Amino acid sequence: MFLQSNTIKRICVFCGSNHGARSAYTDAAQQLGKALVSHEIGLVYGGGSIGLMTVVADAVLEEKGEVVGVIPHALSSKEFAHYGLTELHLVSSMHERKAMMAELSGAFIAMPGGFGTLDEFFEIVTWAQLGLHTKPIGLLNVGGYFDLLMKFVDYMQQERFISTEHRQLIITSHNPEELLSALIRYKPSQQIPKVIDWKET
Ligand code: AMP
């Protein structure tokens, strides 16, 4: 019996435009796609047909789930936009892509990836830090891929560049099913004030 999400309709997944060196990354991307469908949660992602991005999308589509892709025109040929999705939005810039992915999603998950994945992930964390949204943010730490990064995040907290409340914005798990359950149960902290509003960005 799976926990159904009453509030999260779609989750945005950030992940690599490569497959990475180990098959564990692809396996986890497939497991995450299946877990989303079993919780009746749709996928929002960057709309490409390469790397781990397409593995998650294809796993959701195989299980007859909903996949919404958002890709800038300029990347649509380079990342070979995925034309088999439930919906594909072609937008004019990377900024518009990020904003639309955030708007369409009730939560976020980053999986192993490179600079693009980390850029997208930390921008979403920064928006939460500013009180622009209160949506849960998860890190799927497949095979310890993010161990060093999280050590550094703890160091940033230790050196007082990150508050305890802001450190707690990042929910981590090695397991897709456990991570989804944690995001579904998540209650936003009351300690994070709204510093700015969307209208001011
Ligand atoms: P990567 O993790 O570098 O493989 O990139 C994963 C995703 O991030 C891809 O969909 C890219 O389009 C996107 N991406 C790559 N570079 C950037 C960037 N500088 N800013 C924002 N997104 C990016």
Side-chain angles (χ1 to χ4, degrees), residues 15-18 46 53 75 79 94 97-98 113-117 119-120:
C15 60
S17 53
N18 290 287
M53 298 167 75
L75 274 186
E79 285 196 349
M94 297 297 269
R97 177 201 229 180
K98 283 183 191 168
F115 287 134
T117 302
D119 169 86
E120 290 162 333

Side-chain angles (χ1 to χ4, degrees), residues 5 9-10 13 15 38 45-46 65 67 71 76 88 97 103 106 124 137 155 157 167 169 174 188 193 197 199:
S5 168
K9 287 196 167 61
R10 296 188 208 96
V13 175
C15 60
S38 66
Y45 85 115
V67 184
I71 195 162
S76 61
L88 179 68
R97 177 201 229 180
E103 176 81 36
I124 281 299
I137 305 169
Y155 181 63
Q157 184 190 347
R167 166 66 185 82
L169 287 168
H174 291 81
D197 192 81
K199 289 185 252 17

Side-chain angles (χ1 to χ4, degrees), residues 1 9 23 31-32 37 47 59 69 72 79 96 118 121 123 127 134 151 156 161 164 168 189 195:
M1 172 73 184
K9 287 196 167 61
S23 59
Q31 285 165 20
L32 178 60
V37 180
E79 285 196 349
E96 203 185 320
L118 290 185
F121 176 71
E123 181 149 21
W127 289 354
T134 56
K151 256 195 181 150
M156 290 197 282
F161 284 104
T164 308
Q168 286 167 356
S189 162
V195 181

Side-chain angles (χ1 to χ4, degrees), residues 42-61:
L43 169 72
V44 174
Y45 85 115
S49 64
I50 51 172
L52 290 187
M53 298 167 75
T54 196
V55 176
V56 186
D58 287 340
V60 173
L61 291 170

